[in-house]
Amino acid sequence: MHLLSASCVCALLIAALLPSRVSGLETVIGLYGETLEIPCNNGAIKAEDVLITKWKYDKGEGLPGDLLVKQKNQNVSISATDEYKGRVSMAANSSLLLSAAKLADQRTFTCMVVTGADITEYPVNVVIYKMPASLEISDKADELEIGRLTELGTCVAQEANPAVNITWSKNNKLLVADGKGVSIQASVLVDPVTGLSTTSSILEYSAEKEDTDAKFTCSTQHIVGAELVSSPVTFTITYSTENIVLQAIAQDPLVEGDNVTLKCVADGNPAPTSFNFHLKGELVKVENADTYTITNVSRDTTGEYKCSLIDNPTLEASEDITVNYLDINLNPSGNIIKSAGEALDLTFQIDASGESKVSWTKDNVKLDKEPKFTKLTYLDSGRYECKVTMGLLSRKASFELLVEGAPVIRQLSKQRGEDGQHKVLICEAEGSPKPAVSWSINGTSPEESPYINGKITHKITVVPSANLTVSCTVTNEFGMDTKAINVSSLFVEVRVDKQDQLEDSDQTKLVVGVVVGLLVATMVIGLAYWVYMKKSKQGSWKTGEKENGSSEEEKKLEEKVEENSQKAEV
Ligand SMILES: *[C@@H]1O[C@H](CO)[C@@H](O)[C@H](O)[C@H]1NC(C)=O
Ligand SMILES: *[C@@H]1O[C@H](CO)[C@@H](O)[C@H](O)[C@H]1NC(C)=O
Ligand SMILES: *[C@@H]1O[C@H](CO)[C@@H](O)[C@H](O)[C@H]1NC(C)=O
Ligand SMILES: *[C@@H]1O[C@H](CO)[C@@H](O)[C@H](O)[C@H]1NC(C)=O
Ligand SMILES: *[C@@H]1O[C@H](CO)[C@@H](O)[C@H](O)[C@H]1NC(C)=O
């Protein structure tokens, strides 16, 4: 008997868990707390044929419990005396209506129908389900620290039947226990009174940096009803400082007098708010700020600077600050007046924080190198400028040099005019300030060149009627110079010059000159004779009918040619 009842309970349990699999025994599913309809043979029997309908249930251990009876043409009579007394009634189609279903109602109810002489029984297995009342995350962690397994929260599914499984998701992606970053512990508590199961699931989670703003939810899927999802929870992700950087915020290039702001940038959540600044041996603590400003920097400010966390001095960053400076000193400066022939000592110094480039110009024209004046000439006068650059920095210095001195005549010369009728005298002088030029005779067409680099050239045209000695005189406030030149009358001078030339030449030159002269003369005569012969042969219009020129004509021609060649040599 005991054995039998045990196997019976087993069957019930199985039926409850796998209702559709039970063969021969119909199962109905009821929802907890609601009214459940248990059909009697699915209403297949015609009501007018039924004499008596009776509902009973299995009290366990094979004992039947009466519920109600209906006889033909009579009202339903409730025969239950126990807990079912106020909860049962019968529908017109013989179904048993059971209100306020509970888990204890999960048993077999039997409908017994008497028709004529037949008595038929229809047992129905009852299963009661209940969706969880609510799904909530409790015991939520205040914050998640990166890399540390933390109890994120507990998800509780209240009072369900059968007990539900809880799953966790992050951003709608299922979290699966992996023994490292995700760990889930579930437990089920059965209410001793109602028999309902409350499932709890604790998620332990090791956060990552990107979990900031991640939405964590838990959910259940019950046999009946839709998926239940908790409201999402988010967490503050904390982590300690891992990286620290010191930035120097300043103008580029940083020069003396500027300000530099040191900024200590550290990560971490929450980020540190106080820092130590190490200013070349001096320690400055800054609270509720991450910057420190050095004003009016000087070249002494150059050096290494550091910042560190107050509560973790090993986290430290450093940065080199370089204050650029470029000082130049050029001596002399301003306007300098010097006499020609003197020396001028230049001193030029550069004091700079880096490598610099120097370039010189004189009157805006580039010079190859730094100028040197060991013996000043008028040419040296001008504006000298040096420019020193170092990166974006540049400096300039300059001086204006004026070389002065009494004028000197460099050259006094003469030229024969193109027409042979006049001569041009040229007086070239040097001096500063600009010398005045004067001649001992009155010439024509005086011509004065521009005064450049202390030089001036003066020209006059003369027509010498006799041998003359002409002098050129140049003067300025520092003194004067004069030179004379002999000018001969035009016709005579040709011969004189030629003779002078010959006298000047040495013996070899003379011999060579004579030989070359004879050769040239011979060739020219030959050529002229040939031309003359050809012309007289071609046409007799010039010399008349005679084919051969007379000896007189030939002589005249030879004389003419000789004259020409002599002129050409001069
Ligand atoms: C019996 O009647 C009720 C209404 O009284 C109805 O809801 C139910 O479906 C019927 N059952 C069968 C098996 O016909
Ligand atoms: C900046 O410092 C220099 C000396 O290093 C000083 O002469 C100057 O007056 C300072 N300027 C200001 C504005 O404090
Ligand atoms: C040059 O001309 C001026 C007048 O034009 C005259 O007085 C002077 O004597 C002349 N000088 C010479 C050297 O001929
Ligand atoms: C000029 O001088 C030359 C010698 O140098 C002389 O032969 C000539 O006769 C002189 N002419 C006049 C016009 O005085
Ligand atoms: C010019 O000629 C004279 C002689 O007439 C002479 O004494 C003098 O040295 C000559 N001057 C120049 C510069 O040639």
Side-chain angles (χ1 to χ4, degrees), residues 100-118:
K102 356 186 224 188
L103 296 198
D105 297 332
Q106 299 189 113
R107 47 180 33 143
T108 305
F109 290 81
T110 306
C111 167
M112 203 180 77
V113 179
V114 180
T115 51
D118 283 341

Side-chain angles (χ1 to χ4, degrees), residues 32-78:
Y32 185 90
E34 297 186 9
T35 297
L36 166 69
E37 184 214 335
I38 307 167
C40 180
N41 195 27
N42 286 321
I45 308 159
K46 284 181 184 163
E48 53 269 31
D49 299 339
V50 178
L51 296 176
I52 302 169
T53 307
K54 180 181 175 179
W55 277 98
K56 58 182 184 178
Y57 70 99
D58 186 353
K59 269 185 158 172
E61 296 186 355
L63 293 175
D66 284 343
L67 290 173
L68 50 79
V69 180
K70 182 182 182 322
Q71 296 200 13
K72 194 170 182 176
N73 302 325
Q74 282 186 16
N75 285 336
V76 176
S77 151
I78 308 291

Side-chain angles (χ1 to χ4, degrees), residues 440-452:
S440 58
I441 59 160
N442 282 341
T444 55
S445 321
E447 206 180 304
E448 190 175 276
S449 71
Y451 177 60
I452 298 170

Side-chain angles (χ1 to χ4, degrees), residues 420-489:
Q421 299 303 307
H422 65 270
K423 289 200 174 181
V424 177
L425 302 183
I426 304 159
C427 186
E428 289 173 65
E430 234 176 55
S432 179
K434 181 182 163 186
V437 183
S438 61
W439 298 87
S440 58
I441 59 160
N442 282 341
T444 55
S445 321
E447 206 180 304
E448 190 175 276
S449 71
Y451 177 60
I452 298 170
N453 292 331
K455 278 190 180 138
I456 194 160
T457 301
H458 205 277
K459 291 179 187 175
I460 54 166
T461 302
V462 292
V463 184
S465 51
N467 289 346
L468 284 174
T469 298
V470 178
S471 65
C472 171
T473 304
V474 290
T475 55
N476 71 5
E477 60 191 86
F478 292 97
M480 62 168 294
D481 190 20
T482 185
K483 267 209 168 105
I485 188 167
N486 285 340
V487 186
S488 54
S489 67

Side-chain angles (χ1 to χ4, degrees), residues 85-96:
K85 189 175 177 187
R87 294 171 55 210
V88 290
S89 62
M90 202 173 84
N93 54 15
S94 302
S95 291
L96 175 69

Side-chain angles (χ1 to χ4, degrees), residues 328-478:
I328 65 170
N329 187 359
L330 174 64
N331 195 16
S333 63
N335 289 325
I336 305 135
I337 299 173
K338 282 276 180 184
S339 299
E342 281 186 338
L344 174 64
D345 282 337
L346 272 191
T347 56
F348 180 54
Q349 287 164 340
I350 301 173
D351 188 12
S353 56
E355 234 171 76
S356 57
K357 260 192 237 164
V358 185
S359 63
W360 284 89
T361 56
K362 182 194 173 197
D363 296 327
N364 297 322
V365 178
K366 206 170 156 19
L367 297 178
D368 292 340
K369 53 184 181 201
E370 184 179 326
K372 267 211 174 88
F373 308 106
T374 48
K375 197 173 175 221
L376 287 168
T377 67
Y378 300 113
L379 195 66
D380 292 328
S381 292
R383 182 183 153 77
Y384 291 83
E385 187 177 80
C386 68
K387 187 177 174 186
V388 183
T389 57
M390 186 186 74
L392 294 170
L393 292 185
S394 71
R395 299 281 184 274
K396 275 181 183 176
S398 65
F399 62 87
E400 181 109 34
L401 174 64
L402 182 61
V403 180
E404 287 183 339
V408 175
I409 295 174
R410 290 283 167 228
Q411 201 182 5
L412 180 60
S413 57
K414 57 190 175 186
Q415 267 177 9
R416 192 124 78 101
E418 280 161 21
D419 56 358
Q421 299 303 307
H422 65 270
K423 289 200 174 181
V424 177
L425 302 183
I426 304 159
C427 186
E428 289 173 65
E430 234 176 55
S432 179
K434 181 182 163 186
V437 183
S438 61
W439 298 87
S440 58
I441 59 160
N442 282 341
T444 55
S445 321
E447 206 180 304
E448 190 175 276
S449 71
Y451 177 60
I452 298 170
N453 292 331
K455 278 190 180 138
I456 194 160
T457 301
H458 205 277
K459 291 179 187 175
I460 54 166
T461 302
V462 292
V463 184
S465 51
N467 289 346
L468 284 174
T469 298
V470 178
S471 65
C472 171
T473 304
V474 290
T475 55
N476 71 5
E477 60 191 86
F478 292 97

